[in-house]
């Protein structure tokens, strides 16, 4: 298979498409029945080197025919059997398997359909605030008001729906829409649920928690952050009542550090302003207004997620204890407390030290070395500008040593995956593929490319000005080094994806998937947190993702006798 690039010169210097993407529409999308829908959208963005697309059974739920060769997770098979225990002992192995009717679609397809049924809308007050602040994207010379213009068009429709696509690991994305909730702060602050839900006392607690979280409150846990939000409630409401005049104030927190997501923070302040019963405010308590309807998505983040997955891959209780899994904790903060990171001209706060450590730990869990971490993860932190490249490599090296002493399953995972890959003796035409508990198939096959360059006129009007393009033509040959460097991340990301699929497939209220995090109405967050833990345990206990990967890729014994989801 050879893939090239065709370049078409358009008149003038204006982009061809000026309207919002057709991945966003003012009406629900039809359910998927194949890889490509009626609009030409593709459901799964597969690896360049593989021709895999989800077969018809993914959309019909058809169980396998006798002797059919299929990547088919044991969980998906057992849940469809009339007798889930048939075929699990010597007496029943020779008996024909009987499957239930009607057929049930795999969880990953049902998760996509549930996500695509959520109606969204643009928050009018935040849109007006961006206009009042003359918000622009200066890097977009041709359309610096892209966000405001697209949001204004969507607001005219009242509400909208968005098409999903999945990457090769099964992660769910809305990024083919111009504006979407998985985007940056200036876009995410605008998007909310079209349908409001009444805020009860628990929901109000999560509104306080959400605001404090976005304010980078220096405390851990829901209760502590909610209390921090309560103590700052008058301050937050003051910001919301005059967001233009207080703009400089809500850009930073109490430690005078720049907020990561200031627009989402002021949006959370607006929700608290509208939700709070001012008559209930006292020195010790505050209550929500009766029947106040909230449209704001409240996020639930899987803190320390990559470390949690590794601890569950290996059943490592010690790592589970320090990674917010079995008890409240944060491994990044634990390291930050004992490591005084020295940067010339900077005194790093605990929050910034935590961020540096996270930037080292996460890519290391995916197999990155100190040079790559320094060049990619640490290079974009402005408070490390006082360090040159060599100093950042030294910093990354020390961080790696600290985390691997504390969490020995990190180097164990890296070494095991490397040894397994070398043992496969992969040929140039081979791929690495495995099934997941949600029914999704992961197909990984990075290929070598042949680079080429060409020069073209910048435009019809400026033919004398040349633009140099670099084009990579894909070959048919497996790129073993790229496969080796990315496989750890693919295993963990496919596990994250499985968790999202299993949760969204069965949830009865709107939930937005944001890679390894989720968002719901304030009054649903308590249930979402419970569902999250249930599905996290279910994916690992019933799905055994790392063991299934090794079984299907390397031919190791299948992890039989796993508990069903209802037994977790």
């Amino acid at each position: 298979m050879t893939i090239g690039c065709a370049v078409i010169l358009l008149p003038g210097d204006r982009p061809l498409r000026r309207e919002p993407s057709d991945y966003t529409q003012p009406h629900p999308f039809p359910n998927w029945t194949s890889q490509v829908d009626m609009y030409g959208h593709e459901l799964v963005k597969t690896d360049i080197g593989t021709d895999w697309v989800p077969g018809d059974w993914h959309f019909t739920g058809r169980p396998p025919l006798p002797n059919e060769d299929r990547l088919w997770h044991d969980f998906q098979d057992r849940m469809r059997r009339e007798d889930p225990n048939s075929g699990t002992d010597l007496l029943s192995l020779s008996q024909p398997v009987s499957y239930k009717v009607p057929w049930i679609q795999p969880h990953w397809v049902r998760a996509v359909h549930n996500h695509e049924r959520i109606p969204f809308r643009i928050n009018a007050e935040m849109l007006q605030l961006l206009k009042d602040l003359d918000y622009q994207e200066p890097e977009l010379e041709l359309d610096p008001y892209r966000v405001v213009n697209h949001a204004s068009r969507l607001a005219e429709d009242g509400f909208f729906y968005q098409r999903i696509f999945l990457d090769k690991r099964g992660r769910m994305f809305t990024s083919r829409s111009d504006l979407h909730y998985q985007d940056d702060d200036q876009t995410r602050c605008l998007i909310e649920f079209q349908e409001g839900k009444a805020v009860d006392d628990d929901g109000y607690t999560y509104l306080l928690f959400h605001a404090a979280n976005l304010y980078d409150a220096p405390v851990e846990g829901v209760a502590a952050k909610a209390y921090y939000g309560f103590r700052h409630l008058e301050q937050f409401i003051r910001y919301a009542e005059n967001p233009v005049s207080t703009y400089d104030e809500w850009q930073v927190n109490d430690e005078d550090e720049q907020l990561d997501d200031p627009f989402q923070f002021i949006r959370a302040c607006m929700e608290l302003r509208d939700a709070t019963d001012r008559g209930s405010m006292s020195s010790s308590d505050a209550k929500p207004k009766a029947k106040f309807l909230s449209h704001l998505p409240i996020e639930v983040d899987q803190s320390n997620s990559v470390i949690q997955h590794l601890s569950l891959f290996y059943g490592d209780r010690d790592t589970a204890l320090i990674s917010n899994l079995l008890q409240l904790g944060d491994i990044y903060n634990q390291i930050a407390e004992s490591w005084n990171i020295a940067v010339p001209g900077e005194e790093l706060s605990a929050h910034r030290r935590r961020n540096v450590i996270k930037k080292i730990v996460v890519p290391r869990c995916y197999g990155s070395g100190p040079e790559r971490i320094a060049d990619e993860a640490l290079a974009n932190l402005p408070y490390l500008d006082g360090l040159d490249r060599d100093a950042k490599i030294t910093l990354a090296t020390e961080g790696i040593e600290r985390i691997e002493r504390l969490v020995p399953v990190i180097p164990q995972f890296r070494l095991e995956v490397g040894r397994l890959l070398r043992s496969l003796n992969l040929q140039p035409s081979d791929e690495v593929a495995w099934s997941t508990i949600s029914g999704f198939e992961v197909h990984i096959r990075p290929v070598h490319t042949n680079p080429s360059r060409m020069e073209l006129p910048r435009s019809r009007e400026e033919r004398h000005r040349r633009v140099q393009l670099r084009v990579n033509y894909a070959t048919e040959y497996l790129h073993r080094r790229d496969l080796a460097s990315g496989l750890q991340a693919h295993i963990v990301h496919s596990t994250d994806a499985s968790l999202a699929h299993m949760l969204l497939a069965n949830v009865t209220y709107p939930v937005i998937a944001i890679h390894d995090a989720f968002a719901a109405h304030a009054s649903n967050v308590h249930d979402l947190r419970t569902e999250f833990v249930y599905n996290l345990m279910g994916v690992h206990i019933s799905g055994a993702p790392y063991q299934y990967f090794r079984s299907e890729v390397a031919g190791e014994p299948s992890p039989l006798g796993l508990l069903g989801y209802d037994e977790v």
Side-chain angles (χ1 to χ4, degrees):
M1 175 173 58
T2 302
I3 297 176
C5 172
V7 179
I8 301 174
L9 286 179
L10 300 173
D13 59 358
R14 303 292 290 174
L16 179 62
R17 179 167 60 79
R18 308 304 304 158
E19 297 302 317
S21 161
D22 62 0
Y23 274 78
T24 297
Q25 296 190 8
H27 52 76
F29 287 89
N31 284 349
W32 292 90
T33 58
S34 66
Q35 160 72 353
V36 181
D37 71 3
M38 61 187 295
Y39 304 98
H41 304 146
E42 292 187 346
L43 176 56
V44 182
K45 181 182 178 182
T46 56
D47 228 356
I48 290 176
T50 178
D51 58 2
W52 175 79
V53 294
D56 70 290
W57 64 264
H58 284 279
F59 306 99
T60 64
R62 176 182 62 80
L65 301 171
N67 302 317
E68 178 182 350
D69 185 19
R70 174 192 291 190
L71 275 179
W72 182 242
H73 195 285
D74 183 62
F75 176 83
Q76 289 291 319
D77 192 74
R78 282 186 288 125
M79 65 170 282
R80 287 170 168 76
R81 295 185 181 194
E82 292 284 2
D83 177 5
N85 295 315
S86 65
T88 61
D89 56 51
L90 292 176
L91 292 176
S92 62
L93 280 174
S94 60
Q95 302 298 317
V97 176
S98 176
Y99 291 101
K100 302 173 185 175
V101 290
W103 299 336
I104 306 171
Q105 288 178 321
H107 292 75
W108 75 271
V109 176
R110 286 187 276 144
V112 169
H113 291 163
N114 282 345
H115 202 294
E116 291 182 342
R117 292 188 188 107
I118 301 173
F120 298 101
R121 73 178 191 181
I122 297 297
N123 180 270
E125 186 175 6
M126 276 306 305
L127 177 56
Q128 186 59 50
L129 176 60
L130 293 186
K131 291 178 180 179
D132 292 342
L133 295 171
D134 193 32
Y135 176 78
Q136 302 179 43
E137 295 175 286
E139 67 277 11
L140 298 181
E141 296 179 11
L142 300 179
D143 190 9
Y145 293 99
R146 178 190 67 90
V147 168
V148 170
N149 290 338
H150 280 312
S152 298
R153 292 188 184 108
L154 290 174
E156 291 174 2
D157 291 329
F159 57 91
F160 57 91
Y161 298 81
Q162 298 195 313
R163 210 45 154 165
I164 292 284
F165 78 94
L166 288 78
D167 72 2
K168 59 195 173 189
R169 289 85 56 95
R171 279 190 152 187
M172 303 170 69
F173 292 86
T174 51
S175 56
R176 287 178 177 162
S177 290
D178 293 291
L179 300 184
H180 56 93
Y181 194 79
Q182 293 178 346
D183 207 344
D184 294 333
D185 181 44
Q186 72 279 1
T187 298
R188 194 178 293 192
C189 71
L190 291 166
I191 298 175
E192 61 185 17
F193 295 114
Q194 191 270 333
E195 298 172 351
K197 287 202 172 184
V199 175
D200 55 17
D201 288 347
D202 275 348
Y204 187 73
T205 295
Y206 282 108
L207 289 179
L208 292 167
F209 160 81
H210 184 59
N213 210 30
L214 290 165
Y215 197 60
D216 294 332
V219 293
E220 296 298 326
V222 172
K225 287 189 177 181
Y227 182 63
Y228 185 96
F230 165 71
R231 289 194 293 109
H232 288 73
L233 183 57
E234 289 188 5
Q235 175 184 336
F236 291 172
I237 290 175
R238 180 174 64 83
Y239 292 159
E241 288 180 333
N242 296 285
V244 175
S245 62
T246 61
Y247 175 81
D248 291 337
E249 295 182 60
W250 53 263
Q251 294 293 305
V252 296
N253 62 13
D254 279 1
E255 285 71 45
D256 203 34
E257 291 184 343
Q258 179 68 39
L259 298 184
D260 292 332
D261 300 302
F263 286 120
Q264 289 176 76
F265 168 65
I266 194 63
R267 172 68 185 90
C269 293
M270 293 173 180
E271 200 76 356
L272 279 173
R273 174 202 63 199
D274 297 340
T276 302
D277 178 358
R278 306 292 181 90
S280 73
M281 291 179 61
S282 66
S283 60
S284 60
D285 199 11
K287 295 289 184 183
K289 292 177 181 175
K291 299 181 180 180
F292 172 75
L293 299 179
S294 176
H295 298 259
L296 179 66
I298 305 297
E299 294 181 19
V300 176
D301 189 6
Q302 187 182 350
S303 177
N304 302 175
S305 63
V306 63
I307 304 294
Q308 292 176 353
H309 286 313
L310 292 182
S311 72
L312 291 166
F313 285 169
Y314 291 98
D316 182 357
R317 180 177 174 81
D318 291 339
T319 300
L321 285 168
I322 60 176
S323 61
N324 203 38
L325 193 56
L326 295 181
Q327 62 185 21
L328 184 64
D330 185 292
I331 197 166
Y332 308 129
N333 277 336
Q334 183 174 335
I335 298 173
E337 289 172 359
S338 61
W339 186 13
N340 183 24
I341 300 173
V343 179
E346 289 277 358
E347 185 171 345
L348 298 187
S349 64
H351 174 71
R352 287 183 172 177
R353 290 201 308 274
R354 181 191 186 278
N355 198 29
V356 170
I357 291 159
K358 184 176 181 179
K359 293 287 186 181
I360 296 172
V361 171
V362 173
R364 182 57 175 177
C365 291
Y366 297 150
S368 295
E371 292 83 4
R372 185 172 181 180
I373 292 172
D375 293 340
E376 297 180 7
L378 301 182
N380 297 322
L381 298 179
Y383 40 85
L384 297 186
D385 286 348
L387 301 178
D388 60 20
R389 182 175 184 270
D390 288 342
K392 288 178 181 176
I393 292 173
T394 300
L395 178 66
T397 301
E398 182 175 352
I400 288 170
E401 291 172 353
R402 286 175 178 266
I403 187 60
E404 292 191 348
R405 282 198 302 269
L406 187 62
V407 185
V409 294
I410 294 176
Q412 181 180 350
F413 181 55
R414 184 178 69 257
L415 293 172
E416 284 186 5
V417 171
R419 281 197 297 265
L420 181 147
L421 198 53
R422 289 191 294 273
S423 73
L424 296 179
N425 191 28
L426 294 172
Q427 300 304 303
S429 60
D430 289 341
E431 69 173 9
V432 174
W434 67 96
S435 63
T436 71
I437 187 174
S438 70
F440 190 76
E441 299 177 44
V442 181
H443 292 255
I444 306 295
R445 191 174 182 271
V447 295
H448 285 276
T449 58
N450 291 327
S452 180
R453 297 187 180 190
M454 64 178 71
E455 285 192 353
L456 296 170
R458 176 169 178 170
S459 69
R460 291 182 185 276
E461 289 77 15
E462 297 178 292
R463 293 176 180 274
H464 62 285
R465 297 187 64 182
R466 313 297 284 183
V467 176
Q468 188 176 84
L469 300 179
R470 289 188 297 177
V471 182
N472 290 317
Y473 292 91
T475 73
E476 298 178 354
Y477 301 104
L478 178 69
H479 200 307
R480 292 184 179 87
R481 187 176 63 188
D482 282 1
L483 178 61
S485 65
L487 192 53
Q488 290 172 242
H490 297 327
I491 296 168
V492 174
H493 288 157
S494 69
T495 305
D496 272 334
S498 297
L499 172 56
H501 299 163
M502 301 303 285
L503 191 155
L504 267 66
N506 295 315
V507 76
T508 57
Y509 44 86
V511 176
I512 305 171
I514 321 158
H515 310 316
D516 62 348
F518 304 91
H521 288 90
S523 295
N524 291 135
V525 172
H526 177 78
D527 291 338
L528 175 58
R529 287 168 59 86
T530 302
E531 293 279 349
F532 177 88
V533 173
Y534 171 75
N535 282 281
L536 176 64
M537 294 297 103
V539 164
H540 281 276
I541 296 174
S542 296
Y546 182 44
Q547 290 74 19
Y548 247 91
F549 160 80
R550 298 185 66 91
S551 171
E552 293 190 329
V553 170
E556 294 183 0
S558 177
L560 296 175
L562 299 175
L563 293 176
Y565 237 61
D566 56 350
E567 300 173 287
V568 173

